[in-house]
Amino acid sequence: MRYLVLLLLTLTVSCQSNEHKLEEGRWVGALSPMNHPKMENPVAYDVSYNESDELEIILIGPSGAPIQTRKPKLNADTLTFSFNEPDKQVYLNCKLIQDKNSFSGKCTDMEGKWAKFTMNPPQ
């Protein structure tokens, strides 16, 4: 009986900790600038966890250049991170909301200009 209770507790903790983690691998999506909302530029996200089990995301922009994100965090259904847009050197703060397995939301600069980003899990 004691073994069964311990096993159930272990499984419960494992399930709870995994539900707040992103699947590692290459996620794909698109970005749509606010001034061209129907335009979709392809982007990718290399998602991994470091030795300290901290989330790391490398954003691959439309040019194919890797961009290190800063402070990526998944809290419940909200993914946040920031990065420097390489062309104009603009700092962007991103907030993507989960819908089923995918995420979508806006990355916004200090002036309030934004682009919509989508993020779909690895296939």
Side-chain angles (χ1 to χ4, degrees):
M1 181 67 171
R2 185 179 291 175
Y3 174 76
L4 182 58
V5 171
L6 184 58
L7 178 62
L8 288 173
L9 284 173
T10 302
L11 287 173
T12 302
V13 170
S14 296
C15 290
Q16 288 174 346
S17 62
N18 286 339
E19 70 186 42
H20 293 300
K21 288 183 96 171
L22 292 177
E23 180 179 345
E24 291 186 280
R26 169 82 41 117
W27 292 60
V28 296
L31 73 87
S32 300
M34 67 181 260
N35 55 344
H36 297 289
K38 295 194 189 261
M39 179 189 294
E40 288 191 347
N41 296 306
V43 293
Y45 310 81
D46 286 337
V47 174
S48 62
Y49 289 85
N50 63 22
E51 309 81 42
S52 301
D53 204 33
E54 297 169 325
L55 177 62
E56 293 186 344
I57 300 176
I58 306 290
L59 177 65
I60 312 297
S63 70
I67 304 163
Q68 180 69 51
T69 65
R70 295 187 186 126
K71 300 180 185 172
K73 275 200 171 113
L74 179 61
N75 289 322
D77 66 347
T78 303
L79 175 65
T80 57
F81 58 89
S82 58
F83 69 95
N84 277 328
E85 189 279 328
D87 291 334
K88 298 180 182 175
Q89 291 299 306
V90 175
Y91 190 73
L92 298 172
N93 287 306
C94 303
K95 182 178 182 180
L96 309 181
I97 307 299
Q98 186 174 17
D99 180 25
K100 296 184 183 172
N101 292 328
S102 299
F103 289 83
S104 66
K106 293 179 180 175
C107 293
T108 308
D109 71 10
M110 297 294 274
E111 296 175 359
K113 295 178 185 171
W114 54 267
K116 180 181 177 188
F117 279 70
T118 59
M119 185 175 170
N120 302 300
Q123 297 291 329

